[in-house]
Amino acid sequence: VLTSPVASEMGITPPTCVEKSRQLPEEYRRVAVETGAHFLDACECEFNSIDYMHLTKKGHTDLAAILAKLVPSLLFPKE
């Protein structure tokens, strides 16, 4: 059986790509808190069921709608 050189990193052996993807939001949240950056967990958006890290077309639409509401408040905060 031939496999890609990156196969073990992506999903053949634990932790799989899916498992790694599920850990990312908390890591990003932690870094955002440490650096004072804003963080948006896109968990409400639709992801594909292959690697669980790439958005579907609907997921991109969902993310755009969320960002359209959020970004103005970040750029022009009410004091």
Side-chain angles (χ1 to χ4, degrees):
V1 175
L2 297 176
T3 62
S4 163
V6 297
S8 63
E9 293 178 22
M10 294 301 292
I12 291 179
T13 58
T16 65
C17 187
V18 172
E19 292 165 334
K20 289 178 185 179
S21 294
R22 288 184 177 142
Q23 295 170 359
L24 285 175
E26 192 51 43
E27 287 299 311
Y28 284 127
R29 185 184 323 278
R30 181 183 60 76
V31 171
V33 168
E34 288 178 5
T35 61
H38 296 280
F39 171 74
L40 169 68
D41 187 346
C43 66
E44 295 180 24
C45 300
E46 183 178 275
F47 289 82
N48 73 43
S49 59
I50 297 169
D51 63 12
Y52 300 93
M53 74 168 73
H54 293 96
L55 296 172
T56 63
K57 184 176 180 179
K58 180 184 180 310
H60 280 95
T61 301
D62 297 341
L63 182 59
I66 293 167
L67 289 171
K69 292 178 184 175
L70 178 64
V71 169
S73 68
L74 298 176
L75 294 176
F76 309 106
K78 295 179 183 176
E79 296 181 27

